[in-house]
Amino acid sequence: MTGYFDHKVDDKGRLFIPSNLRSELGEVFHVTISGEDCLTAYSEGSWEKFLEKVRAMPIRKQPKMRPFFSNAARCELDKHGRFLLPQKLRDRVGISRDVAVVGMGTVVQFWDAEKFKYQNEQETTPENLKNVMDEMDF
């Protein structure tokens, strides 16, 4: 899943998923908070892998995953490629109207558009890109 798309949350709280992301994300997916100031959508397959990792954790460590599950929503696309992005999740990351829909390989992220613009500017400097490539040993 790749690409960056500008979209808007409509008055009913629905967000459109671009068709190239939709085909990989699937008709049913899960959205939750992330380690960044955005929301992350997992396809059913990716969500199941996420759950498998949690199930494999020692029981005493599983509560550390509570924020991801207590803030998760199962979402379904309508016939127009939209889904209801719950208000509590939008509020959590400051999404009001304008949304950056960002493909991240195995997941899709939803950012407040202004926050993503700033984040993207920081991450796409030649110096940062070189450092990332060096760090990843490319």
Side-chain angles (χ1 to χ4, degrees), residues 1 25 29-32 39-43 106-110:
M1 293 183 262
L25 192 56
F29 51 92
H30 298 266
V31 177
T32 191
L39 301 173
T40 301
Y42 296 83
S43 67
T106 60
V107 297
V108 175
Q109 292 182 329
F110 306 117

Side-chain angles (χ1 to χ4, degrees), residues 90-113:
R90 286 184 275 148
D91 290 346
R92 176 87 178 168
V93 297
I95 292 174
S96 55
R97 188 84 168 150
D98 296 325
V99 180
V101 179
V102 182
M104 283 284 297
T106 60
V107 297
V108 175
Q109 292 182 329
F110 306 117
W111 287 80
D112 169 76

Side-chain angles (χ1 to χ4, degrees), residues 1 17 21-32 40-48 51 72-79 81-84 106-108 110:
M1 293 183 262
I17 299 292
L21 295 178
R22 198 178 325 140
S23 63
E24 294 184 62
L25 192 56
E27 297 294 315
V28 177
F29 51 92
H30 298 266
V31 177
T32 191
T40 301
Y42 296 83
S43 67
E44 286 275 63
S46 292
W47 188 251
E48 189 55 40
L51 288 172
R74 182 178 181 275
C75 300
E76 290 186 51
L77 293 175
D78 66 15
K79 63 184 177 183
R82 302 170 302 190
F83 74 101
L84 180 62
T106 60
V107 297
V108 175
F110 306 117

Side-chain angles (χ1 to χ4, degrees), residues 2-22:
T2 60
Y4 157 60
F5 309 88
D6 287 312
H7 285 284
K8 294 185 183 304
V9 174
D10 71 14
D11 293 337
K12 294 182 180 179
R14 297 173 301 192
L15 180 63
F16 178 78
I17 299 292
S19 61
N20 63 327
L21 295 178
R22 198 178 325 140

Side-chain angles (χ1 to χ4, degrees), residues 36 111 116 118-125 128-129 132:
E36 296 184 86
W111 287 80
F116 183 73
Y118 175 79
Q119 185 75 22
N120 193 45
E121 287 171 358
Q122 302 306 305
E123 292 174 342
T124 57
T125 64
N128 186 62
L129 292 173
V132 169

